[in-house]
Amino acid sequence: MCGRFSRFTGIDSIQDRYDLKTIIELESNYNTSPQDEAVVILRSDINHSQNMIWGFLPFWSKTRTISNKTINARSDSLEKKYFKHSFEQKRCIIPVNGFFEWNSRTKQPYYIHHADNELFSFAGLYDIWKSNMGEVVNSFTIITTKANETIKQIHDRMPVIIDKEYEEQWLDHTTSISKLNSILSTPTMQPLNLYSVSSFVNSPKNKGIKCIEPISEQNSLSNYF
């Protein structure tokens, strides 16, 4: 799964990286947690961004309640009813600098990131919910897949990372379902580092840079995948 991620690259750099015409300001967050707002990249006629709540609320829901169970969507369940509409019509990218995972046995948190801390892209889905009173909620979920050999050391699942060459196809409304599934099953070619961090990140109230600081060189892992 993916329960926390970081995004501290500035808005101007995100705009350049994804060729956005406009972007809405949003503060950096080293510990983005469920129900937080995050920058999401969408496609209409052009790529644009929108700040959305993390936790999926489908348009057909009768209540505004966003469950933490909907922060992730399994890549092998996207054609089922709950996510089907968004998989077909409302795909998105979530720009991140890294993400956190907890060892399922020891509960030790780890930070996973690019060697140069540059942005990379999670595959996501979004939806727009509207109440009878006119309230609008824009929300998203992060797609997950089976963990690769490195992540298996700490957890059995990980977010789907879309390499840059596939980003436009993922956002394109005309891309076939078979091609989308192919993108989801293509392992990332981007080298990432993995190291242990302190339990400071466990609290969603903590949003600063301390969340991604290594706790010691001895506990740091230098594996790549």
Side-chain angles (χ1 to χ4, degrees):
M1 62 178 296
C2 177
R4 306 283 178 83
F5 65 88
S6 67
R7 194 282 300 167
F8 49 83
T9 292
I11 293 296
D12 290 343
S13 295
I14 294 176
Q15 187 170 3
D16 292 340
R17 164 65 174 78
Y18 293 97
D19 191 26
L20 308 175
K21 300 303 180 185
T22 59
I23 189 167
I24 301 170
E25 186 68 34
L26 187 66
E27 291 184 0
S28 296
N29 189 341
Y30 288 86
N31 188 18
T32 304
S33 309
Q35 311 266 347
D36 283 353
E37 273 197 324
V39 175
V40 174
I41 310 300
L42 319 173
R43 162 72 64 81
S44 50
D45 294 330
I46 57 174
N47 289 355
H48 66 282
S49 76
Q50 193 159 341
N51 298 339
M52 295 190 172
I53 296 173
W54 185 15
F56 191 77
L57 181 61
F59 74 93
W60 43 261
S61 176
K62 294 181 179 179
T63 69
R64 189 199 180 284
T65 303
I66 299 177
S67 169
N68 282 351
K69 294 180 180 180
T70 65
I71 63 171
N72 294 154
R74 293 176 61 99
S75 60
D76 56 3
S77 67
L78 301 182
E79 295 183 67
K80 296 180 180 179
K81 178 184 176 182
Y82 200 85
F83 296 111
K84 181 178 174 62
H85 172 76
S86 289
F87 181 46
E88 293 175 348
Q89 301 183 35
K90 295 177 180 176
R91 297 179 299 278
C92 63
I93 282 172
I94 301 94
V96 305
N97 290 99
F99 63 101
F100 300 92
E101 198 53 80
W102 280 255
N103 186 303
S104 55
R105 292 179 292 102
T106 67
K107 308 306 180 185
Q108 170 64 49
Y110 289 86
Y111 183 59
I112 301 150
H113 66 105
H114 259 187
D116 55 8
N117 283 318
E118 288 298 316
L119 286 168
F120 56 99
S121 301
F122 284 167
L125 306 175
Y126 74 96
D127 212 339
I128 302 170
W129 179 89
K130 299 178 181 179
S131 74
N132 293 332
M133 302 299 292
E135 181 186 10
V136 177
V137 177
N138 298 300
S139 65
F140 72 94
T141 186
I142 294 169
I143 301 173
T144 64
T145 188
K146 292 180 180 179
N148 60 29
E149 291 303 314
T150 298
I151 302 301
K152 279 181 181 178
Q153 298 178 62
I154 56 174
H155 204 276
D156 61 353
R157 296 195 69 77
M158 63 181 286
V160 173
I161 298 170
I162 297 184
D163 287 345
K164 192 171 183 178
E165 62 184 291
Y166 299 116
E167 289 173 356
E168 291 301 314
Q169 292 179 73
W170 175 253
L171 294 175
D172 191 336
H173 296 162
T174 66
T175 302
S176 68
I177 296 297
S178 61
K179 180 60 180 177
L180 294 172
N181 283 322
S182 175
I183 292 171
L184 291 173
S185 62
T186 301
T188 179
M189 299 302 292
Q190 303 177 62
L192 302 175
N193 284 353
L194 171 70
Y195 62 79
S196 53
V197 295
S198 78
S199 58
F200 183 78
V201 74
N202 290 2
S203 172
K205 295 179 180 179
N206 297 328
K207 302 297 186 184
I209 194 171
K210 184 177 178 180
C211 292
I212 67 169
E213 292 177 350
I215 53 175
S216 73
E217 289 299 321
Q218 183 178 358
N219 292 327
S220 180
L221 295 179
S222 299
N223 293 323
Y224 290 84
F225 60 94

